[in-house]
Amino acid sequence: LFRKSLPRCRRINRMLSNESAPPPAFSRSNSQASMDSTSMEDFWCEVESIKESSEDGSEEATLLEFKPADEGELEAEWLQDVGLSTLISGAEEEDGQALLSTLTRTQAAAVQKRYNTYTQTLRKKNKHTVRDVRDIFGTSDSSVTTASCNVTDLNMIQICAAWGRVILGLGYEKRILANHNRLFKLGKRVQNRNMLWFTVKFLFEALPFKLSQDFCHLANSCLDCGLDKGSPSVTEELSYEVSFSESITVLPKTQEWPKNQRFKKEDSALPKFIVRKSRFGLTEVGDLSPEDMKKIRYLSLIELTAFYDALGVELKRNRVERVRGRENGLFGVPLTILLENDQKKVPGIKVPLIFQKLLLKLEETGLETEGILRVPGSASRVKNLHQELEAKFCEDTFDWDQVRNNDAAGLLKMFIRELPSPLFTVEYLPAFITLVEKISKIKLQLQALHLLIMLLPEANRDTAKAFLQFLKKVVANEGKNKMNLWNVSMIVAPNLFIYKGKRANQQEMQAAATTAHIVRLLIRYQDILWTVPSFLIAQVRKMNEAAMNNSKRQLMFDKGVRKLLRRKTMERERPERPEGAVTFPPYLQSDIPEGVIRVYAPLHSKVSMAIQLNSQTKAKDILARFHCENSHGSSQKMRGQIQSLHEIGGNIGQHCLDPDAYMLDVYRANPQAEWVIKP
């Protein structure tokens, strides 16, 4: 089934005008069903503005083709998206094995569940023999038969989960032993002993964590994360050392927001979160190499799926077969194509130049404009400016002084709406909506949102970050522009999200409030959302180590390599240098004692220094020492650059270290790394 989709603005208008009841009148007195002391007036005004811009032809149609999923296809696509396509092909590739070896219990259960469904589908279709799930996870219990997870078996999963909660919650060891036989009888009844075996194995492995007070405290803090009605703003600490799905030991009550659920517009209605820094510091998205970020994306999808499974929520996604957009120009062009063209002019650029220029224009002159983003510009002027930009921007002959602030805001929103694929991607838009509609705790919403941000393609994630940083500045100038966090969220939401139309006015209002709440979370917690969780980085390190070990074992069977190794016997073994590593003369490459690192600074006058680490040495201490040693010999240009300490090679591709990272801990986690100071 294929359908030709109009631009999102036109689809929203159709939902509101043709397929559903008319939107509520712009009256604050009609909004109390879903809002607290405010209305969605700004939201519906923005929808009306989008409608007008689409009707006058200033926005072009984008063709999205959707393909319905056959049975098992969603699971096959999921396995491919998480980097486990080898489970489908049957090949024994190193990357898939390395990934599987790093999974937590909940992540492994999520993979097993999807693989079981996929294999059951293949058996029904009689396509080919599939691998036993025990072969994937390295189990050898011959008494357990291969099982698959179909619709009926989902009841078994829920029953086992319920047993797990009872067992782990009350007298763990005795309860497990006492109910062992009953569990297996239950497994026979639903014909799913394989899932039963996996659950029992999980329960026994979970005991050490259950007995740990630290783990219990972390689990309780994760679950008791919402705000009581009417409670003042509180500050809560976030920790990224344990995966989100593993932190959920008690299944919270999940339900849709009640129809009369109210989203409070006040900023104080949102809790204040602070991120607890581990001894490795914090890592932002841009601090890791593209190769490692690809692995972060694999792991994030597995973790998100396990997280939703633990909450009893279905992770929905759209299947888009093809997105047709323009291949040249500015508006309606895919972000990847825009960046390819812009990088020819400005190498390394991460956000399209036209988008940067629109943001810069508004930041320079529009942040204090009253009603910025809310008050629309002239439709005719915006249309003419749009055409003029397409003709003159690339030649750098466009006159930005003629652009009024409200018109620039209109162009900015038009750019976002006309993207062939939404900024937060067509595939995962349902997941964004679900995290609010099905998850009531703010902290759990934030954790799901965090993983969704990690899933975004690089171009989308970088562009979204630039946009949210601008929106944060708009909110910071609320005193002059009269645009608070909720106002901005209501205006931006219809430009970012597609949602299914509802029949009743009250349901329409709830859908509108849902998307506005998502935008509010994105703006408020953007600094947290663009930080890579440390448990994912730890898994990437394990993946790289497993891949290196596999490669070493394979190399031992290569006779040619053996001869080369014999010639190199007297030379010190060094890890393969990844991209970004620096080559230094032999007199600087001597063996280094334990606890001592040699730091290279190729741009400084003193290019190398051996540093003895202790438990309190931080990355910023090493930077300060180099700065002191080279304060007189460095060039003026280099002094103006912001330098960072980078961890390169070993079990990581390239990692820009947090200045507060404790170096002895980082060194012990990756003793084979090289340490380089560079911009």
Side-chain angles (χ1 to χ4, degrees), residues 635-643:
S635 65
Q636 190 67 30
K637 179 180 179 181
M638 194 208 67
R639 292 177 191 174
Q641 292 179 333
I642 299 177
Q643 304 262 317

Side-chain angles (χ1 to χ4, degrees), residues 87-106:
L87 298 186
I88 301 174
S89 64
E92 297 283 347
E93 293 187 11
E94 296 177 4
D95 292 343
Q97 294 176 357
L99 176 58
L100 288 171
S101 68
T102 69
L103 300 183
T104 65
R105 292 183 305 278
T106 52

Side-chain angles (χ1 to χ4, degrees), residues 151-408:
V151 176
T152 303
D153 297 333
L154 291 178
N155 294 329
M156 176 60 188
I157 298 172
Q158 296 171 356
I159 293 172
C160 289
W163 272 104
R165 293 196 298 276
V166 173
I167 292 170
L168 289 178
L170 299 171
Y172 352 106
E173 295 107 329
K174 293 182 179 179
R175 291 279 179 148
I176 288 178
L177 296 175
N179 291 288
H180 187 273
N181 293 331
R182 295 182 64 186
L183 282 170
F184 271 97
K185 290 179 181 178
L186 183 63
K188 291 180 180 178
R189 185 160 47 203
V190 295
Q191 298 179 348
N192 198 339
R193 298 183 63 190
N194 190 50
M195 179 59 72
L196 178 60
W197 164 84
F198 191 84
T199 303
V200 174
K201 180 174 180 287
F202 164 78
L203 296 178
F204 277 106
E205 289 181 348
L207 287 177
F209 291 93
K210 184 65 183 178
L211 297 175
S212 168
Q213 293 181 354
D214 293 338
F215 185 79
C216 292
H217 173 73
L218 180 61
N220 291 334
S221 67
C222 180
L223 293 174
D224 299 330
C225 56
L227 286 179
D228 294 333
K229 292 183 179 179
S231 65
S233 180
V234 296
T235 300
E236 187 173 357
E237 187 178 73
L238 298 176
S239 174
Y240 293 151
E241 297 181 33
V242 177
S243 74
F244 302 151
S245 59
E246 290 286 312
S247 301
I248 302 174
T249 56
V250 179
L251 186 64
K253 184 178 180 181
T254 58
Q255 60 182 9
E256 295 186 19
W257 286 104
K259 292 183 178 179
N260 61 352
Q261 175 68 36
R262 296 181 177 182
F263 290 100
K264 295 183 179 181
K265 70 171 184 176
E266 294 81 6
D267 290 355
S268 60
L270 293 176
K272 295 179 181 178
F273 293 111
I274 58 173
V275 179
R276 184 179 67 194
K277 282 190 176 184
S278 69
R279 291 185 65 85
F280 292 90
L282 297 178
T283 301
E284 296 183 0
V285 169
D287 293 340
L288 294 174
S289 65
E291 294 77 13
D292 286 340
M293 279 306 303
K294 183 178 180 181
K295 296 167 186 173
I296 290 288
R297 193 177 181 191
Y298 291 157
L299 291 164
S300 296
L301 181 51
I302 296 175
E303 172 63 16
L304 179 68
T305 307
F307 184 71
Y308 273 53
D309 286 350
L311 293 173
V313 176
E314 180 185 0
L315 178 60
K316 297 180 179 179
R317 57 185 293 186
N318 291 323
R319 296 187 73 239
V320 180
E321 185 174 84
R322 184 168 52 192
V323 178
R324 295 179 182 175
R326 300 171 57 191
E327 296 184 358
N328 51 62
L330 303 175
F331 292 77
V333 180
L335 288 173
T336 51
I337 294 180
L338 281 174
L339 287 173
E340 286 176 5
N341 296 333
D342 291 344
Q343 286 169 354
K344 296 175 183 178
K345 302 177 182 178
V346 184
I349 193 172
K350 294 185 176 181
V351 179
L353 288 173
I354 179 61
F355 195 71
Q356 288 190 40
K357 190 61 180 179
L358 288 169
L359 293 177
L360 181 61
K361 168 66 179 178
L362 288 167
E363 289 178 5
E364 290 178 343
T365 63
L367 290 179
E368 298 182 0
T369 302
E370 184 171 344
I372 192 64
L373 294 176
R374 183 181 66 232
V375 178
S378 167
S380 59
R381 285 201 307 268
V382 170
K383 182 177 180 180
N384 292 334
L385 289 170
H386 174 200
Q387 295 173 349
E388 191 174 349
L389 275 169
E390 292 282 7
K392 298 182 179 180
F393 180 79
C394 293
E395 285 74 24
D396 201 22
T397 58
F398 182 79
D399 182 13
W400 286 97
D401 293 334
Q402 66 173 323
V403 182
R404 304 181 186 184
N405 293 328
N406 291 331
D407 294 341

Side-chain angles (χ1 to χ4, degrees), residues 528-539:
I528 295 175
L529 296 174
W530 264 259
T531 301
V532 183
S534 56
F535 69 85
L536 292 179
I537 299 176
Q539 287 185 273

